Amino acid sequence: MAHLLLLLLFLSLSLLPLLSLSATDTFVYGGCTQLRYSPNSGYESNLNSLLTSLVNSATYTSYNNYTFQASTPQDALYGLYQCRADLSMPDCATCIARAVTQLGALCSDTCGGALQLEGCYVKYDNSTFLGVEDKTVVLKKCGPSVGYEVEAMARRDAVLAAIVGSSGAYRVGGSGKVQGVAQCVGDLSGSECQDCVAEAIGRLKSDCGTADFGDMFLGKCYARYSTHGPPVFSKAHHDKFGGDGEKTFAIIIGLLAGVALLIIFLVFIRKIFQGSGK
Ligand SMILES: *[C@@H]1O[C@H](CO)[C@@H](O)[C@H](O)[C@H]1NC(C)=O
Ligand SMILES: *[C@@H]1O[C@H](CO)[C@@H](O)[C@H](O)[C@H]1NC(C)=O
């Protein structure tokens, strides 16, 4: 009996890393080009090599780009991936592997595709986009308005201003319960990144007004904020994959682990008392 419970406990504990990851592989957005390639073409085999390379590369670096120059120009292929800078390498690799799997399902046979998960981004196409700044709005999301909460909005504005004022491809800021984050794709130069982040943050403020959270994903960068404490960015997205189901699962596993611990403790106490009773 105790062995079974111990097994259950270890099983629960070994599942915990999976659960903490569920926030990074939550679906944010995805899209495919209209153009399709013909099955069994050179393009298809290049694409398969590209996707394999991305997954392998993500085990040792958080950003990389690839160019496949083929014998015929139509078969040329470009791709890149990037992980959120705070992810560990194993988490980055897992995130990219999931993104590639989801892209395969979402964009079968299309020349190009892009997918953003909470923790990582993957894009490929047959026309080059590497090193090209792109400020097209890909996804905009604003939470419900917090109304006339002057302090929260002042903090929000200060956090966003600090993010614009800092440098680097990955920028985080916080004040009280207000959190903000911005990241550029690694192929942008410092000044392009600055320009992109400034645009995203300008749009967040103008489009989201007094929303309690805001997400602005542009072609090559994003900026996001939340006024209700860290790390809530994933809370806002129950779009497609993950979400409440995973949370319920996490709670159930947590409860099971708790119950298993309690029973083991009781069995242990009983053994001690039986021992001292002899
Ligand atoms: C991308 O592929 C499509 C379909 O094969 C083709 O029509 C288009 O010209 C290609 N674009 C480039 C830039 O090669
Ligand atoms: C693509 O990757 C190579 C190294 O693998 C790097 O030298 C180059 O700067 C990258 N290009 C872009 C546009 O990021």
Side-chain angles (χ1 to χ4, degrees):
M1 181 67 177
H3 284 109
L4 189 72
L5 288 169
L6 265 179
L7 185 69
L8 182 66
L9 176 71
F10 284 124
L11 266 180
S12 318
L13 288 180
S14 64
L15 281 172
L16 288 179
L18 273 179
L19 297 170
S20 65
L21 200 77
S22 68
T24 64
D25 62 10
T26 305
F27 179 85
V28 178
Y29 69 78
C32 320
T33 60
Q34 299 277 325
L35 289 171
R36 291 177 177 275
Y37 59 79
S38 32
N40 304 318
S41 60
Y43 194 79
E44 181 171 29
S45 67
N46 279 349
L47 182 55
N48 288 336
S49 313
L50 170 76
L51 296 178
T52 310
S53 306
L54 298 186
V55 172
N56 289 337
S57 174
T59 60
Y60 60 85
T61 177
S62 63
Y63 162 79
N64 215 340
N65 71 79
Y66 289 88
T67 299
F68 283 70
Q69 293 295 2
S71 43
T72 54
Q74 295 99 305
D75 286 348
L77 172 64
Y78 309 87
L80 61 73
Y81 74 89
Q82 172 158 284
C83 288
R84 212 173 63 207
D86 61 332
L87 257 60
S88 66
M89 281 332 300
D91 286 354
C92 176
T94 310
C95 190
I96 295 299
R98 297 199 178 182
V100 164
T101 308
Q102 293 186 15
L103 259 178
L106 188 71
C107 303
S108 59
D109 296 355
T110 67
C111 290
L115 189 92
Q116 174 81 53
L117 301 182
E118 283 288 328
C120 64
Y121 176 68
V122 171
K123 178 171 177 165
Y124 63 85
D125 204 351
N126 74 335
S127 63
T128 188
F129 56 92
L130 298 174
V132 179
E133 191 182 353
D134 177 3
K135 295 189 282 183
T136 324
V137 177
V138 183
L139 178 85
K140 175 185 94 172
K141 250 190 190 175
C142 303
S145 172
V146 294
Y148 198 63
E149 274 195 44
V150 180
E151 201 206 319
M153 283 304 117
R155 279 181 194 270
R156 194 268 317 253
D157 290 349
V159 166
L160 294 183
I163 287 177
V164 175
S166 61
S167 60
Y170 182 66
R171 310 171 184 197
V172 286
S175 165
K177 287 183 169 176
V178 179
Q179 301 288 313
V181 62
Q183 187 171 22
C184 295
V185 180
D187 61 338
L188 293 193
S189 69
S191 57
E192 287 168 335
C193 176
Q194 181 60 29
D195 183 53
C196 193
V197 168
E199 170 89 13
I201 283 181
R203 282 181 178 273
L204 267 184
K205 290 172 68 171
S206 63
D207 294 8
C208 288
T210 58
D212 71 344
F213 73 84
D215 296 335
M216 190 63 67
F217 286 86
L218 308 184
K220 281 290 174 74
C221 72
Y222 65 77
R224 320 174 74 179
Y225 76 87
S226 165
T227 58
H228 42 254
V232 287
F233 299 114
S234 54
K235 219 166 103 185
H237 299 281
H238 293 159
D239 297 11
K240 208 161 175 185
F241 307 100
D244 284 332
E246 274 166 348
K247 269 182 210 135
T248 314
F249 181 62
I251 291 167
I252 289 172
I253 293 293
L255 282 177
L256 276 180
V259 169
L261 265 179
L262 185 70
I263 293 177
I264 288 167
F265 179 69
L266 289 177
V267 167
F268 179 69
I269 293 283
R270 218 185 67 187
K271 285 225 166 111
I272 290 181
F273 277 96
Q274 276 175 345
S276 63
K278 268 176 199 162

mmCIF file of all heavy atoms in Angstrom, residues 84-108:
data_model
loop_
_atom_site.group_PDB
_atom_site.id
_atom_site.type_symbol
_atom_site.label_atom_id
_atom_site.label_comp_id
_atom_site.label_asym_id
_atom_site.label_seq_id
_atom_site.Cartn_x
_atom_site.Cartn_y
_atom_site.Cartn_z
ATOM 1 N N ARG A 84 11.272 33.033 -26.040
ATOM 2 C CA ARG A 84 11.266 34.150 -25.095
ATOM 3 C C ARG A 84 12.556 34.045 -24.293
ATOM 4 O O ARG A 84 12.962 32.947 -23.907
ATOM 5 C CB ARG A 84 10.042 34.020 -24.179
ATOM 6 C CG ARG A 84 9.475 35.355 -23.717
ATOM 7 C CD ARG A 84 8.189 35.128 -22.976
ATOM 8 N NE ARG A 84 8.420 34.338 -21.780
ATOM 9 C CZ ARG A 84 7.493 33.568 -21.220
ATOM 10 N NH1 ARG A 84 6.295 33.480 -21.725
ATOM 11 N NH2 ARG A 84 7.778 32.870 -20.137
ATOM 12 N N ALA A 85 13.196 35.201 -24.064
ATOM 13 C CA ALA A 85 14.561 35.175 -23.545
ATOM 14 C C ALA A 85 14.672 34.578 -22.140
ATOM 15 O O ALA A 85 15.757 34.188 -21.727
ATOM 16 C CB ALA A 85 15.149 36.582 -23.559
ATOM 17 N N ASP A 86 13.574 34.494 -21.409
ATOM 18 C CA ASP A 86 13.678 33.956 -20.043
ATOM 19 C C ASP A 86 13.527 32.438 -19.991
ATOM 20 O O ASP A 86 13.605 31.850 -18.916
ATOM 21 C CB ASP A 86 12.635 34.630 -19.131
ATOM 22 C CG ASP A 86 11.219 34.375 -19.595
ATOM 23 O OD1 ASP A 86 11.007 34.167 -20.806
ATOM 24 O OD2 ASP A 86 10.309 34.367 -18.753
ATOM 25 N N LEU A 87 13.326 31.801 -21.140
ATOM 26 C CA LEU A 87 13.166 30.344 -21.133
ATOM 27 C C LEU A 87 14.527 29.652 -21.030
ATOM 28 O O LEU A 87 15.499 30.096 -21.643
ATOM 29 C CB LEU A 87 12.486 29.898 -22.437
ATOM 30 C CG LEU A 87 11.010 29.530 -22.347
ATOM 31 C CD1 LEU A 87 10.189 30.695 -21.857
ATOM 32 C CD2 LEU A 87 10.507 29.038 -23.690
ATOM 33 N N SER A 88 14.555 28.539 -20.291
ATOM 34 C CA SER A 88 15.774 27.723 -20.254
ATOM 35 C C SER A 88 15.891 26.994 -21.594
ATOM 36 O O SER A 88 14.905 26.892 -22.333
ATOM 37 C CB SER A 88 15.667 26.705 -19.121
ATOM 38 O OG SER A 88 14.636 25.787 -19.421
ATOM 39 N N MET A 89 17.081 26.476 -21.917
ATOM 40 C CA MET A 89 17.242 25.779 -23.202
ATOM 41 C C MET A 89 16.300 24.580 -23.327
ATOM 42 O O MET A 89 15.682 24.415 -24.371
ATOM 43 C CB MET A 89 18.700 25.347 -23.430
ATOM 44 C CG MET A 89 19.662 26.429 -23.893
ATOM 45 S SD MET A 89 19.034 27.821 -24.837
ATOM 46 C CE MET A 89 18.332 27.028 -26.251
ATOM 47 N N PRO A 90 16.145 23.744 -22.291
ATOM 48 C CA PRO A 90 15.202 22.624 -22.466
ATOM 49 C C PRO A 90 13.764 23.108 -22.734
ATOM 50 O O PRO A 90 13.069 22.535 -23.564
ATOM 51 C CB PRO A 90 15.286 21.874 -21.130
ATOM 52 C CG PRO A 90 16.586 22.275 -20.547
ATOM 53 C CD PRO A 90 16.870 23.661 -21.022
ATOM 54 N N ASP A 91 13.367 24.174 -22.049
ATOM 55 C CA ASP A 91 12.007 24.692 -22.267
ATOM 56 C C ASP A 91 11.881 25.284 -23.659
ATOM 57 O O ASP A 91 10.835 25.158 -24.311
ATOM 58 C CB ASP A 91 11.650 25.752 -21.221
ATOM 59 C CG ASP A 91 11.367 25.141 -19.862
ATOM 60 O OD1 ASP A 91 11.344 23.896 -19.769
ATOM 61 O OD2 ASP A 91 11.176 25.892 -18.895
ATOM 62 N N CYS A 92 12.946 25.918 -24.126
ATOM 63 C CA CYS A 92 12.951 26.482 -25.478
ATOM 64 C C CYS A 92 12.785 25.360 -26.493
ATOM 65 O O CYS A 92 11.946 25.441 -27.399
ATOM 66 C CB CYS A 92 14.253 27.250 -25.708
ATOM 67 S SG CYS A 92 14.459 27.898 -27.370
ATOM 68 N N ALA A 93 13.558 24.311 -26.333
ATOM 69 C CA ALA A 93 13.501 23.191 -27.276
ATOM 70 C C ALA A 93 12.109 22.562 -27.290
ATOM 71 O O ALA A 93 11.567 22.255 -28.356
ATOM 72 C CB ALA A 93 14.550 22.151 -26.910
ATOM 73 N N THR A 94 11.518 22.404 -26.108
ATOM 74 C CA THR A 94 10.185 21.817 -26.038
ATOM 75 C C THR A 94 9.168 22.717 -26.717
ATOM 76 O O THR A 94 8.292 22.258 -27.454
ATOM 77 C CB THR A 94 9.770 21.608 -24.561
ATOM 78 O OG1 THR A 94 10.827 20.922 -23.903
ATOM 79 C CG2 THR A 94 8.498 20.808 -24.457
ATOM 80 N N CYS A 95 9.296 24.011 -26.468
ATOM 81 C CA CYS A 95 8.356 24.974 -27.050
ATOM 82 C C CYS A 95 8.442 24.948 -28.580
ATOM 83 O O CYS A 95 7.414 24.893 -29.272
ATOM 84 C CB CYS A 95 8.660 26.369 -26.510
ATOM 85 S SG CYS A 95 7.421 27.609 -26.910
ATOM 86 N N ILE A 96 9.670 24.962 -29.123
ATOM 87 C CA ILE A 96 9.829 24.964 -30.583
ATOM 88 C C ILE A 96 9.302 23.651 -31.171
ATOM 89 O O ILE A 96 8.635 23.651 -32.215
ATOM 90 C CB ILE A 96 11.308 25.180 -30.973
ATOM 91 C CG1 ILE A 96 11.770 26.580 -30.549
ATOM 92 C CG2 ILE A 96 11.509 25.006 -32.471
ATOM 93 C CD1 ILE A 96 11.018 27.729 -31.197
ATOM 94 N N ALA A 97 9.555 22.546 -30.487
ATOM 95 C CA ALA A 97 9.057 21.268 -30.998
ATOM 96 C C ALA A 97 7.529 21.301 -31.084
ATOM 97 O O ALA A 97 6.940 20.844 -32.072
ATOM 98 C CB ALA A 97 9.527 20.129 -30.097
ATOM 99 N N ARG A 98 6.893 21.878 -30.070
ATOM 100 C CA ARG A 98 5.420 21.941 -30.098
ATOM 101 C C ARG A 98 4.936 22.905 -31.167
ATOM 102 O O ARG A 98 3.933 22.657 -31.832
ATOM 103 C CB ARG A 98 4.895 22.370 -28.741
ATOM 104 C CG ARG A 98 5.278 21.335 -27.718
ATOM 105 C CD ARG A 98 4.473 21.401 -26.471
ATOM 106 N NE ARG A 98 4.965 20.307 -25.631
ATOM 107 C CZ ARG A 98 4.483 19.998 -24.464
ATOM 108 N NH1 ARG A 98 3.485 20.685 -23.978
ATOM 109 N NH2 ARG A 98 4.980 18.996 -23.783
ATOM 110 N N ALA A 99 5.642 24.027 -31.320
ATOM 111 C CA ALA A 99 5.239 25.009 -32.327
ATOM 112 C C ALA A 99 5.325 24.385 -33.717
ATOM 113 O O ALA A 99 4.424 24.556 -34.546
ATOM 114 C CB ALA A 99 6.122 26.249 -32.236
ATOM 115 N N VAL A 100 6.399 23.640 -33.969
ATOM 116 C CA VAL A 100 6.575 23.017 -35.281
ATOM 117 C C VAL A 100 5.481 21.969 -35.528
ATOM 118 O O VAL A 100 4.915 21.886 -36.615
ATOM 119 C CB VAL A 100 7.999 22.416 -35.390
ATOM 120 C CG1 VAL A 100 8.096 21.440 -36.550
ATOM 121 C CG2 VAL A 100 9.016 23.539 -35.551
ATOM 122 N N THR A 101 5.152 21.218 -34.497
ATOM 123 C CA THR A 101 4.078 20.230 -34.634
ATOM 124 C C THR A 101 2.751 20.918 -34.961
ATOM 125 O O THR A 101 2.019 20.486 -35.862
ATOM 126 C CB THR A 101 3.924 19.431 -33.317
ATOM 127 O OG1 THR A 101 5.198 18.925 -32.967
ATOM 128 C CG2 THR A 101 2.929 18.308 -33.468
ATOM 129 N N GLN A 102 2.466 21.996 -34.245
ATOM 130 C CA GLN A 102 1.198 22.696 -34.473
ATOM 131 C C GLN A 102 1.172 23.367 -35.844
ATOM 132 O O GLN A 102 0.135 23.386 -36.506
ATOM 133 C CB GLN A 102 0.964 23.738 -33.374
ATOM 134 C CG GLN A 102 0.723 23.094 -32.013
ATOM 135 C CD GLN A 102 0.334 24.107 -30.946
ATOM 136 O OE1 GLN A 102 -0.018 25.237 -31.245
ATOM 137 N NE2 GLN A 102 0.414 23.690 -29.698
ATOM 138 N N LEU A 103 2.334 23.894 -36.269
ATOM 139 C CA LEU A 103 2.413 24.506 -37.605
ATOM 140 C C LEU A 103 2.124 23.472 -38.679
ATOM 141 O O LEU A 103 1.437 23.760 -39.666
ATOM 142 C CB LEU A 103 3.810 25.077 -37.838
ATOM 143 C CG LEU A 103 4.001 26.564 -37.684
ATOM 144 C CD1 LEU A 103 5.451 26.922 -37.918
ATOM 145 C CD2 LEU A 103 3.109 27.347 -38.631
ATOM 146 N N GLY A 104 2.652 22.275 -38.501
ATOM 147 C CA GLY A 104 2.435 21.210 -39.469
ATOM 148 C C GLY A 104 0.955 20.917 -39.631
ATOM 149 O O GLY A 104 0.469 20.693 -40.747
ATOM 150 N N ALA A 105 0.224 20.956 -38.518
ATOM 151 C CA ALA A 105 -1.210 20.672 -38.574
ATOM 152 C C ALA A 105 -1.985 21.860 -39.147
ATOM 153 O O ALA A 105 -2.930 21.696 -39.910
ATOM 154 C CB ALA A 105 -1.722 20.344 -37.168
ATOM 155 N N LEU A 106 -1.530 23.072 -38.791
ATOM 156 C CA LEU A 106 -2.256 24.279 -39.189
ATOM 157 C C LEU A 106 -2.010 24.627 -40.658
ATOM 158 O O LEU A 106 -2.924 25.019 -41.374
ATOM 159 C CB LEU A 106 -1.771 25.438 -38.294
ATOM 160 C CG LEU A 106 -2.489 26.777 -38.361
ATOM 161 C CD1 LEU A 106 -3.866 26.651 -37.724
ATOM 162 C CD2 LEU A 106 -1.684 27.842 -37.626
ATOM 163 N N CYS A 107 -0.753 24.491 -41.101
ATOM 164 C CA CYS A 107 -0.366 24.968 -42.435
ATOM 165 C C CYS A 107 0.131 23.827 -43.311
ATOM 166 O O CYS A 107 1.235 23.879 -43.837
ATOM 167 C CB CYS A 107 0.743 26.015 -42.326
ATOM 168 S SG CYS A 107 0.336 27.428 -41.320
ATOM 169 N N SER A 108 -0.661 22.788 -43.480
ATOM 170 C CA SER A 108 -0.159 21.694 -44.307
ATOM 171 C C SER A 108 -0.152 22.149 -45.758
ATOM 172 O O SER A 108 -1.120 22.745 -46.244
ATOM 173 C CB SER A 108 -1.027 20.447 -44.109
ATOM 174 O OG SER A 108 -2.347 20.725 -44.457
#
